[in-house]
Amino acid sequence: MRPLSALLLLACSTAPAPHPAAPPRAPAGDDFTSTFSVAADEWTCTGRSPWFSVVPGDQSTFEGGGGKLVITVLDETRVVDGVETRVVEEREWVEGQLEEVSRNVYALGERTNSAYDFGEEVDIDEAGQLSRHEGAWMSGEKGAHFGLMLPGEPLLGAR
């Protein structure tokens, strides 16, 4: 599993967090942190955290092992689960062939500068044709909830 896929899987599997969230609680045993302190008026869809950008036009390219991943922050927003999010496109090539195009939606919590994942739409290349992938999800649909992508500040005891 690719590292980005693992992060998205983690975001998809987190338990619900209310929009006016309670303070973070430390996990018990092997539980994952499931609530985050983000008030309804703290969301922003433009900005940078120390490790993540949702500034339109920013682009990162990663290459190695026969693969290439290009991540582009688009000048496009989408309201997901009541929050205005930024659309970030990922294009992945393996051995020179386009394999996957995904459109992910993220928002930052202004107070902590943490990046939150609100969903993704994925197209997989099959024999030269892009087709819908069943891994697509959006917060607020079919029981899915947004999750922490990258904390902007340390969360002691968090997982």
Side-chain angles (χ1 to χ4, degrees), residues 73-93:
V73 181
L74 302 180
D75 189 16
E76 181 181 338
T77 62
R78 181 173 175 183
V79 176
V80 177
D81 205 6
V83 175
E84 186 174 15
T85 62
R86 176 68 54 193
V87 179
V88 177
E89 182 184 77
E90 294 180 9
R91 290 182 172 266
E92 180 181 359
W93 290 264

Side-chain angles (χ1 to χ4, degrees), residues 14-18 25 32-36 159:
T14 58
R25 64 176 171 82
F32 286 97
T33 301
S34 61
T35 58
F36 306 97
R159 291 188 42 169

Side-chain angles (χ1 to χ4, degrees), residues 11-46:
C12 291
S13 64
T14 58
H19 282 273
R25 64 176 171 82
D30 290 334
D31 292 342
F32 286 97
T33 301
S34 61
T35 58
F36 306 97
S37 183
V38 182
D41 62 350
E42 286 185 58
W43 296 111
T44 183
C45 63
T46 303

Side-chain angles (χ1 to χ4, degrees), residues 11 21 23 28 31 36 46 50 52 55 61 69 80 87 96 103-104 117 131-132 141-142 144 150 153-154:
D31 292 342
F36 306 97
T46 303
F52 194 75
V55 174
T61 301
L69 176 66
V80 177
V87 179
R103 294 170 53 85
N104 306 290
D117 189 347
S131 62
R132 184 53 104 209
E141 296 178 8
K142 299 179 184 176
L150 290 169
E153 59 185 35

